[in-house]
Amino acid sequence: MSTPAAPTPHQPSPHQQSPHHQSPHHQSPHHQSSLSPVAPTRALSPTRTTATAARVLRQLAHDPRTIALLMLIPCVMLLLLRYVFDGSPRTFDTIGASLLGIFPLITMFLVTSIATLRERTSGTLERLLAMPLGKGDLIVGYALAFGALAIVQSALATGLAVWFLGLDVTGSPWLLLLVALLDALLGTALGLFVSAFAASEFQAVQFMPAVIFPQLLLCGLFTPRTDMHPVLEAISDVLPMSYAVDGMNEVLRHTDMTTAFVRDTLVVAGCALLVLTLGAATLKRRTH
């Protein structure tokens, strides 16, 4: 029986191969993980989404100034407004319902945009997205966390306006609360979206005149939209805040839920979902 031929100098045996010539199947798990980082998961996961929301809420719990801004500022603004028009209660009834939805939208926009940008500039988003965490999980988790705060914020503002400041509405206060909540969620979605285009917290605040102020002027708060120039009226027809104000006015004037109210709330909710989707598509890992 012939003996096996010894390996030639140009063909070292498998036991004598250098570690640098190992096949990928023989590489250590640590070496493999350093070469191929975990790719983010595309599909939404309830577990990852709720974990993200819980993390954001824990962080906010350690920031009492942000909590005070979210919860107290809309109530303080409504209180000031009530006594600005102390001699004209009907004026407060006319614009108070509209501002009940606008104040939460503005505060949620500011806080959400700054909080998201802060996490991106600190590298937190980059570390999170390197894990099996999709952009959708992150955006929806943020929306859930700030949405929970929006529920409390809207309930406080609505309760203060209706039961303590005497806001006179013909319809149900619960419908006012619904529109205020949708407005706050829209502000959250807008804040998440614009944070992708800001490089600093100052720039995030600068987006407010561009995103919020035109809607504030054209939403019908100061004058009916039908009395505006036709061009401005056409622009106001595609702005979500216009439908938020229209929805509040429907509750102010009608005892039952009207078709126009349903349309207005669906438009505001649809805009919030659309902006959240755009926010997930434009989310950046880090600001350079």
Side-chain angles (χ1 to χ4, degrees), residues 20 31 34 67 76 125 128-129 159 161 164-165 181 202 234-235 275:
H20 300 286
H31 188 61
S34 64
I67 297 296
V76 172
L125 287 185
L128 289 173
L129 293 176
F164 290 93
L165 300 181
L181 176 59
F202 179 68
I235 295 174
V275 176

Side-chain angles (χ1 to χ4, degrees), residues 224-258:
R225 293 193 291 126
T226 54
D227 294 342
M228 297 179 184
H229 189 279
V231 174
L232 295 181
E233 183 182 358
I235 295 174
S236 71
D237 287 339
V238 298
L239 298 177
M241 192 182 290
S242 300
Y243 296 91
V245 171
D246 288 347
M248 288 294 192
N249 289 333
E250 288 294 313
V251 181
L252 191 66
R253 298 166 184 163
H254 300 88
T255 55
D256 299 323
M257 184 185 300
T258 63

